[in-house]
Amino acid sequence: MKQIKYLFLALAAVALTACMDGDWDAPDMVNAYGNAQLTETNVMRISDLKEKYDAEITATTNTYAQITDDVQIKAVVTGNDIGGNLYNMVSVDDGTGCILIAISQGGLYGYLPVGQEILVNLKGLYIGGYGQQAQIGSLYTNKNQVTYVSRMSRTLWNDHFKLIGTPDASKVFVDEFDVSRMADQNYLKMNSGKLMTIKNVKLKGADGTATFAPAALKDPANSVNRELEGFKNTQIVVRTSTYADFAASVMPVSTVNLTGIFTRYRNTWQILIRQESDIHYVQ
């Protein structure tokens, strides 16, 4: 009797499953990152974008503007927070120019690896310069009541970008920094924010024990500037966050090639090494 009862229940379960399979649609798999509804409609070159907002970007008082035109940029990620040195930001390059995008979110490298192409809807976002470094984001007012472009919320960002294809590191070109043009203002304006390599340099103060970013030397932004031999600290520095994965790594005493995102603070170049593997020893 019990066997008949269990057989009946099993048949009922099969029948119910069959009905469900026939009436219910399978759930759509939606990418958790980005706005899949975005389409390329009015893509603008980054060089043209920076030229249009040149007054806001290069002003010495951290000015800004809201982008009201329905425009987009399409670019490849060249730097992210994988090593903890580019905090809450990614750098992107479209071949004509480069710019930083500030996002209030950690672990950006997980879905925005180097080589990932993205489409960014700029309408409603802000563009400006922090120390004359071009960046896109939202407005932030600090304790001194100074307002500038800083990190946008992850919700806002998620609505304004779309992933294009799969990451392809071969799309990323690393340019060589032209030391002879270090003081060239046009070179500074066009290339700040770009992934580049400075070759055959030595870190001043490297003695086999000195580290990149000891807490004792940090500035108010929790970062440490290290000089390069042969250059003044008003010309170029290696800037490392005390939270970077390699902050406590010993600086190389030998000649190296340094790759990183070359940003600016006013007229000073700042090399932001993305991760320790960006340090290449010269044989």
Side-chain angles (χ1 to χ4, degrees), residues 201-221:
V201 292
K202 286 189 174 183
L203 286 152
K204 189 179 294 185
D207 58 6
T209 60
T211 59
F212 278 95
L217 298 181
K218 69 179 181 181
D219 59 21

Side-chain angles (χ1 to χ4, degrees), residues 17-254:
T17 301
C19 291
M20 291 170 61
D21 288 343
D23 295 339
W24 289 12
D25 293 327
D28 293 328
M29 298 303 292
V30 179
N31 194 319
Y33 301 108
N35 183 354
Q37 302 305 313
L38 290 181
T39 57
E40 294 182 40
T41 55
N42 191 14
V43 175
M44 188 177 194
R45 301 193 310 174
I46 290 179
S47 58
D48 292 336
L49 176 71
K50 292 170 70 172
E51 184 63 31
K52 180 174 181 177
Y53 293 98
D54 180 65
E56 289 81 8
I57 293 170
T58 59
T60 58
T61 54
N62 295 336
T63 54
Y64 54 84
Q66 186 173 34
I67 301 171
T68 57
D69 296 332
D70 192 11
V71 295
Q72 306 160 329
I73 57 172
K74 184 179 179 182
V76 175
V77 175
T78 55
N80 53 37
D81 59 357
I82 191 167
N85 203 28
L86 275 75
Y87 179 65
N88 282 183
M89 70 173 63
V90 294
S91 56
V92 298
D93 194 322
D94 71 350
T96 72
C98 38
I99 199 165
L100 303 182
I101 303 176
I103 309 156
S104 184
Q105 183 180 5
L108 294 169
Y109 66 91
Y111 67 94
L112 293 173
V114 170
Q116 176 65 60
E117 190 172 24
I118 58 175
L119 179 71
V120 184
N121 174 26
L122 300 176
K123 186 175 182 180
L125 301 181
Y126 286 83
I127 185 170
Y130 182 78
Q132 298 176 294
Q133 170 60 56
Q135 56 188 45
I136 295 167
S138 293
L139 297 185
Y140 173 75
T141 303
N142 65 17
K143 62 181 180 181
N144 297 318
Q145 299 304 304
V146 177
T147 301
Y148 51 88
V149 176
S150 186
R151 303 183 292 272
M152 73 182 90
S153 71
R154 61 180 297 181
T155 302
L156 181 63
W157 168 239
N158 209 56
D159 189 52
H160 276 261
F161 88 98
K162 178 182 180 179
L163 298 172
I164 300 176
T166 56
D168 183 358
S170 68
K171 294 180 180 179
V172 179
F173 178 73
V174 185
D175 204 358
E176 181 177 351
F177 179 72
D178 189 345
V179 177
S180 70
R181 300 185 65 187
M182 184 177 293
D184 184 329
Q185 287 296 308
N186 188 57
Y187 185 71
L188 180 62
K189 182 167 65 173
M190 294 298 295
N191 292 283
S192 55
K194 190 171 188 177
L195 176 64
M196 294 191 283
T197 298
I198 186 169
K199 294 188 174 181
N200 300 312
V201 292
K202 286 189 174 183
L203 286 152
K204 189 179 294 185
D207 58 6
T209 60
T211 59
F212 278 95
L217 298 181
K218 69 179 181 181
D219 59 21
N222 293 307
S223 295
V224 176
N225 290 338
R226 291 296 195 178
E227 298 178 48
L228 297 177
E229 289 188 3
F231 302 100
K232 298 177 181 178
N233 62 3
T234 55
Q235 295 176 302
I236 190 167
V237 295
V238 177
R239 186 165 176 80
T240 306
S241 168
T242 55
Y243 299 111
D245 293 349
F246 53 91
S249 295
V250 175
M251 294 190 297
V253 297
S254 59

